Structure formats: structure tokens, C-alpha cells
Amino acid sequence: MVSMESILAFAAMSLLVIVIPGPSVLFVIGRALAHGRRTALATVLGNLIGSYLLVAAVAWGLGTLVETSAAVFTGVRLAGAAYLVYLGVQVFRHRKEMRAADMEAPAGERRGDLRTILDGIFVGFTNPKGLVFFAAVLPQFVNHSAGRVPLQMMLLGLVPISIGMITDTLWGLGASAARSWFARSDRRLSMVGGVGGFAMIGLGVTVAATGRAD
């Protein structure tokens, strides 16, 4: 249904877009600095789920709505921005509670992991970079004459999701490794938690201030 030529072309386009850090990548880095590797990887998983839900939404009609309504785009963008600021404020408020002994959450702390994944899903789904890319670029690689356009878009959407899984994981692991050095001191760990919080707040403000050219 989707030609290999289209898949490869879309993969090349996706790679060019993904290698430029956007809200999802910076969110993963901020969470990694604030909470460590486990949270970073759970955030990556949530981001990927949220991004693919965005692909599905675009494939089944949101893309057309976004193209014709600046209000819809602005609403999604501001919702994501507000949530990023909220998460950043929470991290900054609790930065002094971080301890080197708490580098990784206990294995039985499932609720914490689930909350982290849900946070990632929300940020991934409301990522304006992803919304613009999937709504404006993805349809260009669909073979409309072959029919089943939504299914073609769902299939093509797996390409950037797969690339993002690799790159986001590397970003998260890299930031977590840097955090390990800071964790040798509770004071330094508190400092990096503050940095992670400020990074998420700054990211949220940037996303909110980024308008759409119509």
C-alpha cells in the first residue's frame, strides 16, 4: 500500500526534523536531569505513545482541522506549554528533597512510573513541532490513488516514531549519565534538579510564545 520509496523518503525527512531537538527531546533531558535514568526512559516511552496518538489523530481528521483552524493549533500548543511549566515548577519546588540515595525509584513504585508515562504522553500529543510535522508533511508521502489514506498515514507514522525511540533514548541516557556525576553530592543533585525544572519552565514559555504564521 505504501511504497518503499515513499517510506525511505519520509524516513530521511523525519531524521532531518528529529535531529533538531524540540519540545519532546528537551522534556526528556529535563526529566533525566531532575529524576534520573528510570524516569527518562519512562518519559521516552510516554512521548512515543503520545506522538503516535498524534499521528492517529492527524490521520483520522485532526490534520485537516489544524490546517484550516489556527484556534485549534493554538489551543493544543498552549495546553502543552502550560503543562510543561507546571511540571517544571513541581521539579523546582521539590529539588531540595532529591538525594543521591534516590537515584532510581524502587522497583515496586509502579504508580510513579505510570504517572511519568502519562506525563510523557500528554507532552508528546501536544508537541507543536510534532503537530505541524504530521499535519503538514506526512500527507505529502501518501499515495492517495491507492486509497486507505488513514491507514497509510498510520503506517508511515511508525517511521519517525522508530527514529525518535532511538534518538530520544540516547538523549535520555546521556543526560542521566551526566546527572550521575552530580549525584555524588546532595547539593549538586539539588542544583541539577533545579536546572531540570528551569529547563522545563523555559521550554513551556518558549512553546507558548511560538506562534503560527498564517
Side-chain angles (χ1 to χ4, degrees), residues 62-110:
L62 180 61
T64 302
L65 184 59
V66 170
E67 286 179 357
T68 58
S69 175
V72 173
F73 177 82
T74 300
V76 172
R77 174 171 57 84
L78 292 180
Y83 199 59
L84 283 169
V85 171
Y86 166 77
L87 292 174
V89 169
Q90 294 305 307
V91 169
F92 186 77
R93 283 183 56 199
H94 299 289
R95 69 191 185 284
K96 292 183 179 180
E97 299 173 14
M98 301 173 70
R99 296 291 184 271
D102 299 326
M103 284 293 292
E104 298 293 342
E109 200 173 282
R110 302 302 179 193

CSV table of all heavy atoms in Angstrom, one decimal, residues 62-110:
chain,number,residue,atom,x,y,z
A,62,LEU,N,-7.7,15.2,12.4
A,62,LEU,CA,-7.2,16.4,13.0
A,62,LEU,C,-6.3,17.2,12.1
A,62,LEU,O,-6.3,18.5,12.2
A,62,LEU,CB,-6.4,16.0,14.3
A,62,LEU,CG,-5.8,17.1,15.1
A,62,LEU,CD1,-6.9,18.1,15.6
A,62,LEU,CD2,-5.0,16.6,16.3
A,63,GLY,N,-5.6,16.5,11.2
A,63,GLY,CA,-4.7,17.3,10.3
A,63,GLY,C,-5.4,18.3,9.5
A,63,GLY,O,-5.0,19.4,9.3
A,64,THR,N,-6.6,17.9,8.9
A,64,THR,CA,-7.4,18.9,8.1
A,64,THR,C,-7.9,20.0,9.0
A,64,THR,O,-7.9,21.2,8.6
A,64,THR,CB,-8.6,18.1,7.5
A,64,THR,OG1,-8.1,17.0,6.7
A,64,THR,CG2,-9.4,19.1,6.6
A,65,LEU,N,-8.3,19.7,10.2
A,65,LEU,CA,-8.8,20.7,11.1
A,65,LEU,C,-7.7,21.7,11.5
A,65,LEU,O,-7.9,22.9,11.5
A,65,LEU,CB,-9.3,20.1,12.4
A,65,LEU,CG,-10.0,21.0,13.4
A,65,LEU,CD1,-11.2,21.7,12.8
A,65,LEU,CD2,-10.4,20.2,14.6
A,66,VAL,N,-6.5,21.2,11.7
A,66,VAL,CA,-5.4,22.1,12.1
A,66,VAL,C,-5.0,23.0,10.9
A,66,VAL,O,-4.7,24.2,11.1
A,66,VAL,CB,-4.1,21.2,12.5
A,66,VAL,CG1,-2.9,22.1,12.7
A,66,VAL,CG2,-4.4,20.6,13.9
A,67,GLU,N,-5.0,22.4,9.7
A,67,GLU,CA,-4.7,23.2,8.5
A,67,GLU,C,-5.6,24.4,8.4
A,67,GLU,O,-5.2,25.4,7.8
A,67,GLU,CB,-4.7,22.3,7.3
A,67,GLU,CG,-3.5,21.4,7.2
A,67,GLU,CD,-3.6,20.5,6.0
A,67,GLU,OE1,-4.6,20.6,5.2
A,67,GLU,OE2,-2.7,19.7,5.7
A,68,THR,N,-6.9,24.2,8.7
A,68,THR,CA,-7.9,25.3,8.5
A,68,THR,C,-8.2,26.1,9.7
A,68,THR,O,-8.9,27.1,9.6
A,68,THR,CB,-9.2,24.6,8.0
A,68,THR,OG1,-9.6,23.7,9.0
A,68,THR,CG2,-8.9,23.9,6.7
A,69,SER,N,-7.7,25.7,10.9
A,69,SER,CA,-8.1,26.4,12.1
A,69,SER,C,-6.9,26.8,13.0
A,69,SER,O,-6.3,25.9,13.6
A,69,SER,CB,-9.1,25.6,13.0
A,69,SER,OG,-9.3,26.3,14.2
A,70,ALA,N,-6.5,28.0,13.0
A,70,ALA,CA,-5.4,28.5,13.8
A,70,ALA,C,-5.8,28.3,15.3
A,70,ALA,O,-4.9,28.1,16.2
A,70,ALA,CB,-5.1,29.9,13.5
A,71,ALA,N,-7.1,28.4,15.6
A,71,ALA,CA,-7.5,28.3,17.0
A,71,ALA,C,-7.2,26.9,17.6
A,71,ALA,O,-6.8,26.8,18.7
A,71,ALA,CB,-9.0,28.6,17.1
A,72,VAL,N,-7.4,25.9,16.8
A,72,VAL,CA,-7.2,24.5,17.2
A,72,VAL,C,-5.7,24.3,17.5
A,72,VAL,O,-5.3,23.8,18.5
A,72,VAL,CB,-7.6,23.5,16.2
A,72,VAL,CG1,-7.2,22.1,16.6
A,72,VAL,CG2,-9.1,23.5,16.0
A,73,PHE,N,-4.8,24.8,16.6
A,73,PHE,CA,-3.4,24.7,16.8
A,73,PHE,C,-3.0,25.4,18.0
A,73,PHE,O,-2.2,24.9,18.8
A,73,PHE,CB,-2.7,25.3,15.5
A,73,PHE,CG,-1.2,25.2,15.7
A,73,PHE,CD1,-0.4,24.1,15.4
A,73,PHE,CD2,-0.5,26.4,16.1
A,73,PHE,CE1,0.9,24.1,15.6
A,73,PHE,CE2,0.9,26.4,16.2
A,73,PHE,CZ,1.6,25.2,16.0
A,74,THR,N,-3.5,26.7,18.2
A,74,THR,CA,-3.1,27.5,19.4
A,74,THR,C,-3.6,26.8,20.7
A,74,THR,O,-2.8,26.8,21.6
A,74,THR,CB,-3.7,28.9,19.2
A,74,THR,OG1,-3.3,29.5,18.1
A,74,THR,CG2,-3.3,29.7,20.4
A,75,GLY,N,-4.7,26.2,20.7
A,75,GLY,CA,-5.2,25.6,21.9
A,75,GLY,C,-4.4,24.4,22.3
A,75,GLY,O,-4.0,24.2,23.4
A,76,VAL,N,-4.0,23.6,21.3
A,76,VAL,CA,-3.1,22.4,21.6
A,76,VAL,C,-1.8,22.9,22.1
A,76,VAL,O,-1.2,22.4,23.0
A,76,VAL,CB,-3.0,21.5,20.3
A,76,VAL,CG1,-1.9,20.4,20.6
A,76,VAL,CG2,-4.3,20.9,20.0
A,77,ARG,N,-1.2,23.9,21.4
A,77,ARG,CA,0.1,24.4,21.8
A,77,ARG,C,0.1,25.0,23.2
A,77,ARG,O,1.0,24.7,24.0
A,77,ARG,CB,0.5,25.5,20.8
A,77,ARG,CG,1.8,26.2,21.1
A,77,ARG,CD,2.2,27.1,20.0
A,77,ARG,NE,1.2,28.1,19.6
A,77,ARG,CZ,1.0,29.3,20.2
A,77,ARG,NH1,1.8,29.6,21.2
A,77,ARG,NH2,0.1,30.1,19.8
A,78,LEU,N,-0.9,25.8,23.5
A,78,LEU,CA,-0.9,26.4,24.9
A,78,LEU,C,-1.2,25.4,26.0
A,78,LEU,O,-0.7,25.5,27.1
A,78,LEU,CB,-2.0,27.5,24.9
A,78,LEU,CG,-1.7,28.7,24.1
A,78,LEU,CD1,-2.9,29.7,24.2
A,78,LEU,CD2,-0.4,29.4,24.4
A,79,ALA,N,-2.0,24.3,25.7
A,79,ALA,CA,-2.2,23.3,26.7
A,79,ALA,C,-0.9,22.6,27.0
A,79,ALA,O,-0.5,22.3,28.1
A,79,ALA,CB,-3.2,22.3,26.1
A,80,GLY,N,-0.1,22.2,25.9
A,80,GLY,CA,1.2,21.6,26.1
A,80,GLY,C,2.2,22.5,26.9
A,80,GLY,O,2.9,22.1,27.8
A,81,ALA,N,2.2,23.8,26.5
A,81,ALA,CA,3.1,24.7,27.2
A,81,ALA,C,2.7,24.9,28.7
A,81,ALA,O,3.7,24.9,29.5
A,81,ALA,CB,3.0,26.1,26.5
A,82,ALA,N,1.5,25.0,29.0
A,82,ALA,CA,1.1,25.1,30.4
A,82,ALA,C,1.4,23.9,31.2
A,82,ALA,O,1.9,24.0,32.4
A,82,ALA,CB,-0.5,25.4,30.5
A,83,TYR,N,1.3,22.7,30.6
A,83,TYR,CA,1.7,21.5,31.4
A,83,TYR,C,3.2,21.4,31.6
A,83,TYR,O,3.6,21.0,32.6
A,83,TYR,CB,1.1,20.3,30.6
A,83,TYR,CG,1.0,19.1,31.5
A,83,TYR,CD1,0.2,19.1,32.6
A,83,TYR,CD2,1.8,17.9,31.2
A,83,TYR,CE1,0.1,18.0,33.4
A,83,TYR,CE2,1.7,16.8,32.0
A,83,TYR,CZ,0.9,16.8,33.1
A,83,TYR,OH,0.8,15.7,33.9
A,84,LEU,N,4.0,21.8,30.6
A,84,LEU,CA,5.4,21.8,30.8
A,84,LEU,C,5.8,22.8,31.9
A,84,LEU,O,6.7,22.4,32.7
A,84,LEU,CB,6.1,22.3,29.5
A,84,LEU,CG,6.1,21.2,28.4
A,84,LEU,CD1,6.6,21.8,27.0
A,84,LEU,CD2,7.1,20.1,28.7
A,85,VAL,N,5.2,24.0,31.9
A,85,VAL,CA,5.5,24.9,33.0
A,85,VAL,C,5.1,24.3,34.4
A,85,VAL,O,5.9,24.4,35.3
A,85,VAL,CB,4.8,26.2,32.8
A,85,VAL,CG1,4.9,27.2,34.0
A,85,VAL,CG2,5.4,26.9,31.5
A,86,TYR,N,4.0,23.7,34.4
A,86,TYR,CA,3.5,23.1,35.7
A,86,TYR,C,4.5,22.0,36.2
A,86,TYR,O,4.9,22.0,37.3
A,86,TYR,CB,2.1,22.5,35.5
A,86,TYR,CG,1.7,21.5,36.6
A,86,TYR,CD1,1.3,22.0,37.8
A,86,TYR,CD2,1.8,20.1,36.4
A,86,TYR,CE1,0.9,21.2,38.8
A,86,TYR,CE2,1.4,19.3,37.4
A,86,TYR,CZ,1.0,19.8,38.7
A,86,TYR,OH,0.6,18.9,39.7
A,87,LEU,N,4.9,21.1,35.3
A,87,LEU,CA,5.9,20.1,35.6
A,87,LEU,C,7.2,20.7,36.1
A,87,LEU,O,7.8,20.2,37.0
A,87,LEU,CB,6.1,19.1,34.5
A,87,LEU,CG,4.9,18.3,34.1
A,87,LEU,CD1,5.2,17.5,32.8
A,87,LEU,CD2,4.5,17.3,35.2
A,88,GLY,N,7.7,21.7,35.4
A,88,GLY,CA,8.9,22.4,35.7
A,88,GLY,C,8.9,23.0,37.1
A,88,GLY,O,9.8,22.9,37.9
A,89,VAL,N,7.7,23.6,37.4
A,89,VAL,CA,7.6,24.3,38.7
A,89,VAL,C,7.6,23.2,39.8
A,89,VAL,O,8.2,23.4,40.9
A,89,VAL,CB,6.2,25.0,38.8
A,89,VAL,CG1,5.9,25.4,40.2
A,89,VAL,CG2,6.3,26.3,37.9
A,90,GLN,N,6.9,22.0,39.6
A,90,GLN,CA,6.9,21.0,40.6
A,90,GLN,C,8.4,20.4,40.8
A,90,GLN,O,8.7,20.2,42.0
A,90,GLN,CB,6.0,19.8,40.1
A,90,GLN,CG,4.6,20.2,40.0
A,90,GLN,CD,4.0,20.7,41.3
A,90,GLN,OE1,4.2,20.1,42.4
A,90,GLN,NE2,3.4,21.9,41.3
A,91,VAL,N,9.1,20.3,39.8
A,91,VAL,CA,10.5,19.8,39.9
A,91,VAL,C,11.3,20.8,40.7
A,91,VAL,O,12.1,20.4,41.6
A,91,VAL,CB,11.1,19.6,38.5
A,91,VAL,CG1,12.7,19.3,38.7
A,91,VAL,CG2,10.5,18.4,37.8
A,92,PHE,N,11.2,22.1,40.4
A,92,PHE,CA,12.0,23.1,41.1
A,92,PHE,C,11.6,23.2,42.5
A,92,PHE,O,12.4,23.3,43.4
A,92,PHE,CB,11.8,24.5,40.4
A,92,PHE,CG,12.6,25.5,41.0
A,92,PHE,CD1,14.0,25.6,40.6
A,92,PHE,CD2,12.1,26.5,41.9
A,92,PHE,CE1,14.8,26.6,41.2
A,92,PHE,CE2,12.9,27.5,42.4
A,92,PHE,CZ,14.3,27.5,42.1
A,93,ARG,N,10.3,23.1,42.8
A,93,ARG,CA,9.8,23.2,44.2
A,93,ARG,C,10.4,22.1,45.1
A,93,ARG,O,10.7,22.3,46.3
A,93,ARG,CB,8.3,23.1,44.3
A,93,ARG,CG,7.6,24.4,43.9
A,93,ARG,CD,6.1,24.2,44.0
A,93,ARG,NE,5.7,23.8,45.4
A,93,ARG,CZ,4.6,23.3,45.7
A,93,ARG,NH1,3.7,23.0,44.8
A,93,ARG,NH2,4.3,22.9,47.0
A,94,HIS,N,10.6,20.9,44.5
A,94,HIS,CA,11.0,19.7,45.3
A,94,HIS,C,12.5,19.4,45.1
A,94,HIS,O,12.9,18.3,45.4
A,94,HIS,CB,10.1,18.5,44.9
A,94,HIS,CG,8.7,18.7,45.2
A,94,HIS,ND1,8.2,18.7,46.5
A,94,HIS,CD2,7.6,18.9,44.4
A,94,HIS,CE1,6.9,18.9,46.5
A,94,HIS,NE2,6.5,19.0,45.2
A,95,ARG,N,13.2,20.3,44.5
A,95,ARG,CA,14.6,20.0,44.2
A,95,ARG,C,15.5,19.7,45.4
A,95,ARG,O,16.4,18.8,45.4
A,95,ARG,CB,15.3,21.2,43.4
A,95,ARG,CG,15.5,22.4,44.3
A,95,ARG,CD,15.8,23.6,43.4
A,95,ARG,NE,16.1,24.8,44.2
A,95,ARG,CZ,15.2,25.5,44.8
A,95,ARG,NH1,13.9,25.2,44.7
A,95,ARG,NH2,15.6,26.6,45.6
A,96,LYS,N,15.1,20.3,46.6
A,96,LYS,CA,15.9,20.0,47.8
A,96,LYS,C,15.6,18.7,48.4
A,96,LYS,O,16.3,18.3,49.3
A,96,LYS,CB,15.7,21.2,48.8
A,96,LYS,CG,16.2,22.5,48.3
A,96,LYS,CD,16.1,23.6,49.4
A,96,LYS,CE,16.7,24.9,48.9
A,96,LYS,NZ,16.5,26.0,49.9
A,97,GLU,N,14.6,18.0,48.0
A,97,GLU,CA,14.2,16.7,48.5
A,97,GLU,C,15.0,15.6,47.8
A,97,GLU,O,14.9,14.5,48.2
A,97,GLU,CB,12.7,16.5,48.3
A,97,GLU,CG,11.8,17.5,49.1
A,97,GLU,CD,10.4,17.3,48.7
A,97,GLU,OE1,10.0,16.3,48.2
A,97,GLU,OE2,9.6,18.3,49.1
A,98,MET,N,15.7,16.0,46.7
A,98,MET,CA,16.5,15.0,46.0
A,98,MET,C,17.7,14.6,46.8
A,98,MET,O,18.4,15.4,47.4
A,98,MET,CB,16.9,15.5,44.6
A,98,MET,CG,15.7,15.9,43.8
A,98,MET,SD,16.2,16.8,42.3
A,98,MET,CE,16.8,15.3,41.4
A,99,ARG,N,18.0,13.3,46.8
A,99,ARG,CA,19.1,12.7,47.5
A,99,ARG,C,19.8,11.7,46.6
A,99,ARG,O,19.2,11.1,45.8
A,99,ARG,CB,18.7,12.0,48.8
A,99,ARG,CG,18.1,12.9,49.8
A,99,ARG,CD,19.1,13.9,50.4
A,99,ARG,NE,18.5,14.7,51.5
A,99,ARG,CZ,17.9,15.9,51.3
A,99,ARG,NH1,17.8,16.3,50.1
A,99,ARG,NH2,17.4,16.5,52.3
A,100,ALA,N,21.1,11.6,46.8
A,100,ALA,CA,21.9,10.7,46.0
A,100,ALA,C,21.4,9.3,46.1
A,100,ALA,O,21.5,8.4,45.2
A,100,ALA,CB,23.4,10.8,46.4
A,101,ALA,N,20.8,8.9,47.3
A,101,ALA,CA,20.3,7.6,47.5
A,101,ALA,C,19.1,7.3,46.7
A,101,ALA,O,18.6,6.2,46.6
A,101,ALA,CB,20.1,7.4,49.0
A,102,ASP,N,18.5,8.3,46.2
A,102,ASP,CA,17.2,8.2,45.5
A,102,ASP,C,17.4,8.3,44.0
A,102,ASP,O,16.4,8.7,43.3
A,102,ASP,CB,16.2,9.3,45.9
A,102,ASP,CG,15.9,9.2,47.4
A,102,ASP,OD1,15.9,8.1,47.9
A,102,ASP,OD2,15.7,10.2,48.0
A,103,MET,N,18.5,7.9,43.5
A,103,MET,CA,18.8,8.0,42.0
A,103,MET,C,17.8,7.2,41.2
A,103,MET,O,17.4,7.7,40.2
A,103,MET,CB,20.2,7.5,41.7
A,103,MET,CG,21.3,8.4,42.1
A,103,MET,SD,21.3,9.9,41.1
A,103,MET,CE,21.7,9.1,39.5
A,104,GLU,N,17.3,6.1,41.7
A,104,GLU,CA,16.4,5.3,41.0
A,104,GLU,C,15.2,5.0,41.9
A,104,GLU,O,15.3,4.7,43.0
A,104,GLU,CB,17.0,4.0,40.5
A,104,GLU,CG,18.1,4.2,39.5
A,104,GLU,CD,17.7,4.7,38.2
A,104,GLU,OE1,16.5,4.7,37.9
A,104,GLU,OE2,18.6,5.3,37.4
A,105,ALA,N,14.0,5.0,41.3
A,105,ALA,CA,12.8,4.7,42.1
A,105,ALA,C,12.8,3.2,42.4
A,105,ALA,O,13.3,2.4,41.7
A,105,ALA,CB,11.5,5.1,41.3
A,106,PRO,N,12.2,2.8,43.6
A,106,PRO,CA,12.0,1.4,43.9
A,106,PRO,C,11.3,0.7,42.9
A,106,PRO,O,10.4,1.2,42.2
A,106,PRO,CB,11.3,1.5,45.2
A,106,PRO,CG,11.5,2.9,45.8
A,106,PRO,CD,11.6,3.7,44.6
A,107,ALA,N,11.6,-0.6,42.7
A,107,ALA,CA,11.0,-1.4,41.7
A,107,ALA,C,9.5,-1.5,41.9
A,107,ALA,O,8.8,-1.7,40.9
A,107,ALA,CB,11.6,-2.8,41.7
A,108,GLY,N,9.0,-1.4,43.1
A,108,GLY,CA,7.6,-1.6,43.3
A,108,GLY,C,6.8,-0.3,43.1
A,108,GLY,O,5.6,-0.3,43.3
A,109,GLU,N,7.5,0.8,42.8
A,109,GLU,CA,6.8,2.1,42.6
A,109,GLU,C,6.1,2.2,41.3
A,109,GLU,O,6.5,3.0,40.4
A,109,GLU,CB,7.8,3.2,42.9
A,109,GLU,CG,7.1,4.5,43.3
A,109,GLU,CD,8.1,5.6,43.7
A,109,GLU,OE1,8.6,5.5,44.8
A,109,GLU,OE2,8.5,6.4,42.9
A,110,ARG,N,5.1,1.4,41.0
A,110,ARG,CA,4.5,1.4,39.7
A,110,ARG,C,3.7,2.6,39.4
A,110,ARG,O,3.7,3.1,38.3
A,110,ARG,CB,3.6,0.2,39.6
A,110,ARG,CG,4.3,-1.2,39.8
A,110,ARG,CD,5.4,-1.4,38.9
A,110,ARG,NE,6.1,-2.6,39.1
A,110,ARG,CZ,7.3,-3.0,38.6
A,110,ARG,NH1,7.9,-2.1,37.8
A,110,ARG,NH2,7.8,-4.1,38.9
